[in-house]
């Protein structure tokens, strides 16, 4: 799957479906009407009933957590078990600090960040050595066994 962004929308391209995540959840042509569990074109989605759009996706053998804005989560919530990739939209340094805490709590193999926070702030706050990228290709087996790959989408 390939992660990209378009303004405030995270796009995840699979072999058969384009997923668009922001304040709505679009699985191909299907738009999730609200909280619940959905299965569309082999993509499982759990849309949680919380104030900030929170979705757990099962895509191509990976568990992907999407947060429209980071918030204090319950790391023991069974919905957050075994998250492989966490993707979050960030608009402030405070939200970035929350995102870091979520990554510490859930220990995903990949952390995908994007949003209106200036790229220089991502680099400075996270001490990143890598440059922001247009897209990020993720496959089961390519993520690290230990630690977390951090990617900032520009």
């Amino acid at each position: 799957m390939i992660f990209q962004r378009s303004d405030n929308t995270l796009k995840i391209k699979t072999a058969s479906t384009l997923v668009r995540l922001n304040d709505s959840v679009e699985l191909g042509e299907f738009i999730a009407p609200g909280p619940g569990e959905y299965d569309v074109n082999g993509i499982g989605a759990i849309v949680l009933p919380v104030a900030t759009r929170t979705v757990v996706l099962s895509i191509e053998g990976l568990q992907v957590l999407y947060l429209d804005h980071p918030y204090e989560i319950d790391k023991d919530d069974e919905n957050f078990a075994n998250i492989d990739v966490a993707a979050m939209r960030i608009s402030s340094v405070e939200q970035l600090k929350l995102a870091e805490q979520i990554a510490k709590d859930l220990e995903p193999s990949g952390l995908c960040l994007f949003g209106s926070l200036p790229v220089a702030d991502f680099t400075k706050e996270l001490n990143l050595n890598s440059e922001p990228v247009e897209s990020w290709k993720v496959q089961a087996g390519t993520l690290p066994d230990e630690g977390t790959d951090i990617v900032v989408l520009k």
Side-chain angles (χ1 to χ4, degrees):
M1 75 188 88
I2 299 173
F3 288 72
Q4 296 176 310
R5 73 173 280 190
S6 176
D7 294 322
N8 288 324
T9 301
L10 179 66
K11 299 191 303 186
I12 303 173
K13 294 181 181 181
T14 71
S16 62
T17 304
L18 175 62
V19 176
R20 290 187 284 291
L21 302 163
N22 51 33
D23 58 347
S24 65
V25 178
E26 298 177 34
L27 307 169
E29 299 299 315
F30 176 79
I31 299 174
E37 294 187 32
Y38 306 94
D39 191 357
V40 178
N41 295 333
I43 297 173
I46 301 171
V47 181
L48 299 176
V50 293
T52 295
R53 180 66 62 215
T54 304
V55 184
V56 178
L57 300 163
S58 296
I59 304 176
E60 297 178 352
L62 294 173
Q63 292 291 107
V64 178
L65 170 65
Y66 171 77
L67 299 177
D68 197 45
H69 291 289
Y71 61 94
E72 289 186 34
I73 64 168
D74 176 3
K75 66 181 180 182
D76 296 323
D77 183 322
E78 68 182 37
N79 289 306
F80 301 136
N82 304 314
I83 297 296
D84 297 299
V85 176
M88 295 175 239
R89 183 161 67 101
I90 308 293
S91 59
S92 69
V93 172
E94 292 75 24
Q95 287 183 353
L96 185 56
K97 291 185 186 312
L98 276 170
E100 284 183 286
Q101 186 59 51
I102 291 167
K104 285 179 187 171
D105 290 344
L106 301 182
E107 299 178 344
S109 296
L111 178 61
C112 179
L113 303 170
F114 72 102
S116 59
L117 185 68
V119 169
D121 289 346
F122 282 111
T123 303
K124 177 184 168 195
E125 294 294 323
L126 299 173
N127 293 319
L128 294 178
N129 296 325
S130 60
E131 293 293 317
V133 296
E134 295 283 337
S135 64
W136 181 41
K137 186 174 183 176
V138 179
Q139 294 176 303
T142 63
L143 292 167
D145 291 332
E146 292 185 22
T148 301
D149 278 351
I150 301 173
V151 174
V152 177
L153 297 176
K154 59 179 174 178

